[in-house]
Amino acid sequence: MFKTQAVDELLNCLPKWANKSRTFEEDMELEISDAAKILVDHYTTQELRLWTGDFAALIDSPIDATTVRDMRVPME
């Protein structure tokens, strides 16, 4: 049911997307910018929880919360 609903919504969105005035490159830039914001938000939320002693953040945070930390720590 959910798969069918997702496909239907995608098919409804495609004509609207095709008629927008933004270029593909502008859409990609916006997508990357939004993804970066989400990654930083998840990382920040997890770090704040850890700093306040909420160690459950290691278990129940979004899986991408560690992505920013992994990028920050230099590889040895």
Side-chain angles (χ1 to χ4, degrees), residues 8 12 19-21 23 25 27-28 32 34 36 39-40 42-43 50 56-57 61 67 69 72-73 76:
D8 290 342
N12 288 333
N19 292 325
K20 287 194 173 187
S21 61
T23 65
E25 288 77 14
D27 278 343
M28 289 303 300
I32 291 168
D34 287 348
L39 287 174
V40 170
H42 287 174
Y43 167 75
L50 291 170
S61 292
T67 303
R69 182 177 56 240
R72 283 186 50 232
V73 177
E76 293 186 32

Side-chain angles (χ1 to χ4, degrees), residues 3 12 15-17 38 41-42 44 55 58 61 66 68 72:
K3 205 182 276 189
N12 288 333
K16 295 175 193 170
W17 175 75
I38 290 168
D41 287 348
H42 287 174
T44 303
F55 296 107
L58 295 170
S61 292
T66 59
V68 173
R72 283 186 50 232

Side-chain angles (χ1 to χ4, degrees), residues 3-18:
K3 205 182 276 189
T4 302
Q5 182 182 357
V7 170
D8 290 342
E9 289 181 28
L10 177 62
L11 292 175
N12 288 333
C13 287
L14 284 175
K16 295 175 193 170
W17 175 75

